[in-house]
Amino acid sequence: MAETNKVLDVAGVSKRFGANEVLSDVSLQVDKGETVCVLGPSGSGKSTLLRCINWLERPDAGQIYLNGERVGINNAGIVMGDRDLSKIRTRIGMVFQHFALWPHLTVLQNLMEAPVQVQRRPKAEVRDEALALLAKVGLSEKCDAFPARLSGGQKQRVGVARALAMRPDLLLFDEPTSALDPELVGEVLVVMRELAHEGMTMVIVTHEMAFARDAATRVLFLDRGKAVETGSPEKFFSNPETERARQFIQRYAGDVAGGRR
Amino acid sequence: MIHDFGIVWSERSLLLSGLANTAILSALSAIAALLLGFLVTPALMSKRPAIFGLARLFVDGMRCVPFLLFAYIIYYGLPSLGLRLDNWSSGLAALIIYNTAYMAEILRGAWAVQPREPIEAGIAFGFSELKLFRRIILPPLLLSAGPVIGNQMIQIVKDSAFLTIIALPELTHAASSIQSRHYIPFAAFITAVFLYWGLCLVIEAGISSIGRVAEARR
Ligand SMILES: Nc1ncnc2c1ncn2[C@@H]1O[C@H](COP(=O)(O)OP(=O)(O)OP(=O)(O)O)[C@@H](O)[C@H]1O
Ligand SMILES: [Mg+2]
C-alpha cells in the first residue's frame, strides 16, 4: 500500500445505531490531490461516514487507512488510546456545517490552538503560518476578532483556515455551506475551489451540485447507507447508473442546469 | 452616636480580623465548592440511574435544607456519631458541602446549553481528556456560568454569618462581641453591614469583568 499515493482508504465500513443500519459496507479510496464529493439524500449516512473516518464515530466493521496507516486500531489489533487517536486526528482536518469555532478564542487563536496545544509546534512558526492562511482566505483584518462578530461566510472561511493550520493530509467537509445565507455561499466555495486547484486532498459532503460537478474529481453517491455509485462527475450527472441516483439528480437538476453559482 | 462609632473604631482590629476570616472562609469554600461541583456535575448528567439518582438526591436534598440547620448538624450532630470537628473545620465543611450542591446545579445548567459542535471540533482536532476539558470545554462554560457563580459567592459570604453560632470568629461574630462588650448594637452591626457590603462590591466587580469578557465573545 505504501507505494501508491492513496491518502484515504475506507474499506467496507459499516455502522449501526441500534437497529438502524446507517452505513453498510461502504468503501472509498481517495488519491492524493483528489476532491471527492459525497452526495446523497438526507439521512443517507454522509455525516456518519465522515465521522467514522476520523473515528468521531467508531465503525462496527471495516477498516480505515490514512496514508497506509490504520486509523483507530493499533498494531496490536486493539482500539487506540486517546493519545494515538489524537495523533492521527491532527492529520485529518475537519470543517463543520455550523462552523464549530471555539467562541472564547479570537480568530487567530482559533487557528493556533490545535497546532500549538496538540501538535506542540513552535508558537512563532504557527503564528506566521496562521496569518498567511488568514490572508489566503481574505480575513487578515479579522485576526483579533472573536467568532461571534463574524458573518457566517467569514466564520466558515475561518473554519477552513483552522483545519489547514494543522497541515493535514486530508480535509473533511460536512456540508460547509448548508448553514449559510445564499449570498454568502459563494465566498466559501471560492476558497474550496482554490484548495482543489492546489491539490489538497478533500472529501466534501455537499448539496451544492454545481460545485460537485465542476470541482470534484469524483463523486460518491450514498443512499440508505450504501455506496450506490462512484465515478466522474460528468458521468454521474449526465448518465447515472441507478434509478435512485437519477431521482436524486432530478431533484437538484435546477441547481446544476441553472448553474446557480 | 458618634461616640458609639468611636468605640467601634477602637475595636477595629477585632472587626478587621473578623472581616479577614469571613473573606478567607468564603473564598476557600467557594473555590472548593466549585471544584467539587465539577465532580458532581458529570454525575448529574450521567445516564446511569444509580449515579444520577444519588447525585440528584444530594443536590436537591442540600438545596432544601436551611444552611443554619445544616451547620448545626455538622457541629453539634456529628459528634454523636463519633465525628468531632473543631469550629473552623465544621464551618468550612458545612459551607463547602452545602455550596457544592449549588455549584453543581449551576454548572449542569450551563453545560447543558453549551453547543456540542465546538467540543466535537476539539476532539476532531486531537484534543482529549484533561486538555479537551481545560482548553475547549471549560473556558466557555466559566464565561457563561460566571455571573451566576458570582451570585452564589455573594450567597456564601452571607451564609458564612450563620457560623457565628458555632463561635467561628468571623465578621458577624466580631460585631456581636463588640456590641455585647460595649452595648452599642446599632453602631457595631451597621459597621458590619457596611463591611459585608464592601465584600460584595468586590465580588460584583469580578462578576462584571467576567461579564465584559463574555460579552465580547457573544
Ligand atoms: N449518534 C446517533 N445516534 C443514533 N442515530 C444516529 C446518530 N447519528 C446519526 N444517526 C442516524 O443515522 C442516520 C444517518 O445520519 P447522518 O447524519 O449520517 O445522515 P446525513 O446523510 O449526514 O444526513 P443530512 O443530509 O441530513 O446531514 C440518520 O437516520 C440519523 O438519524
Ligand atoms: Mg449530515
Side-chain angles (χ1 to χ4, degrees):
Chain A
M1 194 169 302
E3 83 281 1
T4 71
N5 54 1
K6 200 183 285 172
V7 172
L8 176 68
D9 185 358
V10 174
V13 162
S14 300
K15 174 73 187 173
R16 54 169 64 246
F17 293 110
N20 185 6
E21 173 129 69
V22 175
L23 291 177
S24 54
D25 197 24
V26 173
S27 294
L28 168 69
Q29 277 105 41
V30 184
D31 284 345
K32 195 166 166 50
E34 266 200 296
T35 299
V36 174
C37 282
V38 179
L39 311 175
S42 181
S44 57
K46 305 180 298 294
S47 299
T48 306
L49 175 63
L50 286 195
R51 293 163 54 78
C52 281
I53 290 174
N54 61 5
W55 266 58
L56 281 182
E57 217 69 78
R58 186 170 156 177
D60 298 328
Q63 298 97 46
I64 292 151
Y65 298 89
L66 180 70
N67 283 323
E69 198 179 317
R70 180 84 187 260
V71 178
I73 307 285
N74 65 18
N75 291 334
I78 54 176
V79 173
M80 282 180 171
D82 276 326
R83 178 172 295 210
D84 289 340
L85 214 45
S86 130
K87 207 171 280 170
I88 288 205
R89 282 178 176 146
T90 60
R91 290 159 50 200
I92 306 175
M94 197 166 199
V95 177
F96 297 80
Q97 181 173 358
H98 300 285
F99 327 120
L101 300 177
W102 297 310
H104 57 292
L105 301 175
T106 65
V107 165
L108 182 61
Q109 288 167 340
N110 261 276
L111 266 65
M112 294 176 61
E113 182 71 1
V116 171
Q117 297 296 330
V118 181
Q119 294 178 316
R120 302 220 160 276
R121 281 158 51 194
K123 217 170 182 162
E125 169 202 297
V126 169
R127 189 187 155 83
D128 289 346
E129 237 175 83
L131 288 170
L133 283 169
L134 284 177
K136 179 179 174 135
V137 300
L139 288 173
S140 293
E141 78 285 6
K142 295 290 182 191
C143 73
D144 292 323
F146 287 102
R149 295 278 179 273
L150 304 179
S151 73
Q154 292 171 332
K155 281 183 196 166
Q156 197 56 299
R157 283 184 281 153
V158 172
V160 175
R162 176 178 68 170
L164 290 170
M166 294 201 304
R167 297 178 176 165
D169 300 332
L170 172 69
L171 271 189
L172 307 176
F173 293 76
D174 192 358
E175 301 199 30
T177 56
S178 302
L180 298 178
D181 292 337
E183 71 272 19
L184 299 178
V185 169
E187 63 188 69
V188 174
L189 292 183
V190 165
V191 171
M192 291 164 60
R193 279 206 171 84
E194 198 178 322
L195 291 174
H197 269 290
E198 289 169 3
M200 185 73 213
T201 312
M202 304 189 280
V203 177
I204 301 172
V205 172
T206 184
H207 288 298
E208 295 290 330
M209 295 302 139
F211 174 84
R213 201 182 51 174
D214 58 45
T217 53
R218 207 143 47 86
V219 299
L220 171 73
F221 178 63
L222 275 190
D223 186 43
R224 296 176 197 151
K226 292 199 173 64
V228 176
E229 275 189 52
T230 176
S232 74
E234 295 78 22
K235 167 146 187 323
F236 177 77
F237 285 110
S238 60
N239 190 18
E241 289 164 19
T242 60
E243 186 51 35
R244 289 293 296 177
R246 210 184 315 276
Q247 286 169 359
F248 176 79
I249 294 165
Q250 206 131 57
R251 197 143 46 82
Y252 288 91
D255 192 13
V256 182
R260 187 149 65 106
R261 26 190 95 86
Chain B
M1 185 53 74
I2 305 276
H3 175 71
D4 288 358
F5 280 103
I7 296 172
V8 172
W9 178 249
S10 70
E11 295 275 23
R12 62 189 174 278
S13 66
L14 182 59
L15 268 177
L16 285 179
S17 91
L19 178 66
N21 284 341
T22 290
I24 291 168
L25 207 56
S26 306
L28 275 182
S29 45
I31 292 167
L34 189 57
L35 291 178
L36 289 173
F38 274 114
L39 296 182
V40 178
T41 302
L44 278 178
M45 301 171 76
S46 172
K47 289 195 179 68
R48 289 195 221 160
I51 295 178
F52 168 80
L54 273 177
R56 201 69 257 176
L57 190 69
F58 165 69
V59 169
D60 291 347
M62 274 303 144
R63 294 199 305 166
C64 293
V65 178
F67 178 70
L68 181 58
L69 210 54
F70 185 62
Y72 271 139
I73 291 172
I74 300 267
Y75 188 66
Y76 295 111
L78 285 187
S80 49
L81 299 178
L83 183 63
R84 192 173 300 275
L85 298 173
D86 64 27
N87 53 359
W88 266 96
S89 311
S90 308
L92 260 177
L95 276 176
I96 290 170
I97 297 169
Y98 192 75
N99 284 286
T100 293
Y102 282 90
M103 292 294 189
E105 186 61 15
I106 290 170
L107 291 171
R108 188 202 55 79
W111 203 315
V113 300
Q114 292 291 313
R116 176 73 206 151
E117 264 201 332
I119 300 172
E120 288 250 289
I123 298 168
F125 279 65
F127 287 88
S128 62
E129 292 174 347
L130 200 58
K131 200 179 272 176
L132 179 71
F133 183 73
R134 206 163 45 80
R135 309 271 329 171
I136 306 291
I137 300 178
L138 187 59
L141 190 64
L142 285 185
L143 284 177
S144 75
V148 194
I149 292 174
N151 284 337
Q152 191 58 33
M153 284 181 68
I154 290 176
Q155 199 60 47
I156 293 176
V157 170
K158 293 192 294 181
D159 277 352
S160 73
F162 282 121
L163 298 177
T164 187
I165 53 111
I166 60 171
L168 215 158
E170 43 68 64
L171 183 51
T172 301
H173 195 261
S176 37
S177 33
I178 292 171
Q179 102 78 20
S180 60
R181 205 177 296 164
H182 303 283
Y183 304 105
I184 46 164
F186 183 76
F189 290 138
I190 207 77
T191 308
V193 163
F194 275 101
L195 291 174
Y196 276 114
W197 189 50
L199 220 46
C200 287
L201 286 182
V202 173
I203 297 172
E204 295 274 9
I207 297 176
S208 72
S209 68
I210 293 176
R212 270 195 305 279
V213 173
E215 191 49 46
R217 288 157 177 75
R218 196 143 40 217

